[in-house]
Amino acid sequence: MIEIKGLSKNFKKIKALDNISLTVNEGEVFGFLGPNGAGKTTTIRILSCILKPDAGTAVLDNYDIHEEPMKIRKLIGVLTENPCIYERLSGRYNLMFFGKLYEVPEDQIEQRVDELLTMFDLQDRSNDKSGTYSKGMKKKLAISRTMIHNPKIIFLDEPTTGLDPKASKDLRDYIKKLSIKRKITIFLSTHNLTEAEYLCDKIAVINKGKIIAIGRPNELSRMLWSGDRVEITLINDYKDKGISQSEIHDMISSIDGVNECIVNDNKIHLSLESAEKVNPIIIKKLISSGIDIVQAKIEGHSLEDIYLSLIKEESDKK
Amino acid sequence: MKKAIIIMKKDIKEIRTSFQIFGTMIATPALLTGIALVTFGILFAIIPNPIDLYSILYGAGNILPMYNLMFLIIPVVLPTYIAADSFVGEKVRKTIEALLVAPISDNELLLGKVLVSLIPTLLFSYLFIGVYIIGINILQLVNYGTIVFIFPDLGFILGCLLHIPLLCIITIEIMVIISLKVKGIREAQQIGGVVVIPVISFMFLPFAGLNLYSLSNPLNIFLFTLITLIFCLLAISFYFLSLKVFKRSNIIVKI
């Protein structure tokens, strides 16, 4: 659905984008993560055909950004970081205006506007000036504007910035629903990792204009850390049985496939080559030594771990 | 063209909700018309003999030509207010990006923004010039019981038809260029206000004996033609310049 090939963009001496390439499949929620000034908004602006790249190209639904910008604009919806709504005009007028610009058929436009206003709980205030709306309502109106023409691709630039937790959750749920029910391709630019973790099928991490990693969160995790992390919780009576922490440590460390072992009271933190293969051996050995186990759980890496490691790794390189 | 009109209608609706802009749009021409009519009302009252009227108005003082030229300020002042709100206002209020991502060409967008300044300006200019014309004739009728001289003359009619739209277009084009360079509405209005200065200088032409809208002698006809040609040339030059600078990529990097 979106194919970016070697995009580069400079603003005077600043390299905003440095030869980035990526592919987003139809119906996918693609997370574009990066710190402020990484090049996320520049990428969205190039894909929305309002900024021209210095090199490279992108194809959206078979239309090239250089050759058919108007066709691309018709098939995309862009939620910019600012709501971009006309505050002196009513919410309804805002949607009618954009509906006309996006060539929604005259006989359908009012129905579509009503549908969106109802969907986002804005119907009661639809004739009030949108400047009187709360931040959450303005954001909802901005999303309605983005959706007015039923776009195939939606670009969301920091969609929950400035929203309270409840409004952020509602918005995230709505985005999730859009991708699941309507199969809309969503390109989500954010530095909110919780949001990305909840919504995205695939993520790309961009820093200083360069893509430093791309893939599904578990793929990125494997790329950064070999093996699995496991935490085993013991019943805390092993000391009464004459077993010390160092004995447990030595017993586990001697097993093949254990990279690291830390014993801390009743918790054992392990780094294993493969949890699937090594964990059953460890558990058997502990039980046969008379140590009772409460639970053993494989600890995944959160997106936050992945993101911070990638950014750190990148700055260490420099 | 259809999308340019959609944008124009939206902008006009926005302007109507702003007392500051809409008020200025009415107050400026109303004030000029009011000053002119009060001046002529007093003048007619203190000139008892209608025979002297024509020579006083067009003679040594050249009062009427000077007031006629004063109306050229309207098509210069109004677009600076409207265009500043329409172009720079979109940047200041951070609404421009939603327009830029919409399926509308640069030219349609520019045309929509030009129309929103052009149409109300022409409407208000001609409306108040109409009031001025009717007012002068009514004042003559009230004071002398008859219309002593028929106002307006051919020169003023031609001036209104040619110079008002041209000056309005030139000002809008200049405002388009200014809007890409500045970040605030007030800044745009202040820079745009400089355009008024050369127009005000026209008002002093009658003192030098050059009566732009009196087409009775060859020198004035030459002057009228020359100024019209200069206005045309400026309108065309600024048109191409504004088309060249009014590009999405130029606008977006200036936000």
Side-chain angles (χ1 to χ4, degrees), chain A residues 205-254:
Chain A
V205 179
I206 184 170
N207 192 25
K208 292 175 184 163
K210 274 189 174 175
I211 291 196
I212 53 175
I214 189 163
R216 297 184 188 282
N218 57 350
E219 289 169 358
L220 294 181
S221 172
R222 254 182 249 132
M223 195 177 95
L224 286 163
W225 297 282
S226 57
D228 299 311
R229 291 193 305 178
V230 173
E231 185 195 80
I232 298 175
T233 311
L234 310 173
I235 290 180
N236 214 357
D237 62 352
Y238 64 88
K239 285 172 192 163
D240 302 338
K241 293 173 185 171
I243 304 166
S244 67
Q245 280 193 22
S246 60
E247 276 173 315
I248 295 174
H249 178 268
D250 294 344
M251 180 170 54
I252 293 173
S253 298
S254 64

Side-chain angles (χ1 to χ4, degrees), chain B residues 91-103:
Chain B
K91 281 207 291 190
V92 172
R93 295 187 286 271
K94 295 181 169 46
T95 50
I96 190 86
E97 205 169 343
L99 262 191
L100 299 180
V101 296

Side-chain angles (χ1 to χ4, degrees), chain A residues 11 45 48-51 70 73-74 80 82 84-86 88-89 93 97-98 100-103 145, chain B residues 3 10 13-14 17 85 90 93-95 97-105 248-249 252-253:
Chain A
F11 293 110
R45 284 177 175 172
S48 325
C49 307
I50 53 172
L51 201 58
M70 197 59 102
R73 284 186 203 123
K74 280 181 189 171
T80 47
N82 296 302
C84 286
I85 55 171
Y86 296 101
R88 292 187 209 152
L89 306 173
Y93 191 93
F97 168 67
F98 281 102
K100 285 174 192 166
L101 274 193
Y102 278 93
E103 298 167 22
R145 186 203 70 223
Chain B
K3 286 184 183 173
K10 186 272 294 172
K13 196 170 171 72
E14 266 201 298
T17 62
D85 187 76
E90 293 258 13
R93 295 187 286 271
K94 295 181 169 46
T95 50
E97 205 169 343
L99 262 191
L100 299 180
V101 296
I104 175 168
S105 68
R248 277 176 159 80
S249 43
I252 199 76
V253 293

Side-chain angles (χ1 to χ4, degrees), chain A residues 304-317:
Chain A
E304 189 169 334
D305 298 332
I306 298 170
Y307 175 79
L308 293 173
S309 292
L310 284 167
I311 298 289
K312 188 177 176 297
E313 205 173 79
E314 189 67 12
S315 44
D316 287 349
K317 272 186 207 168

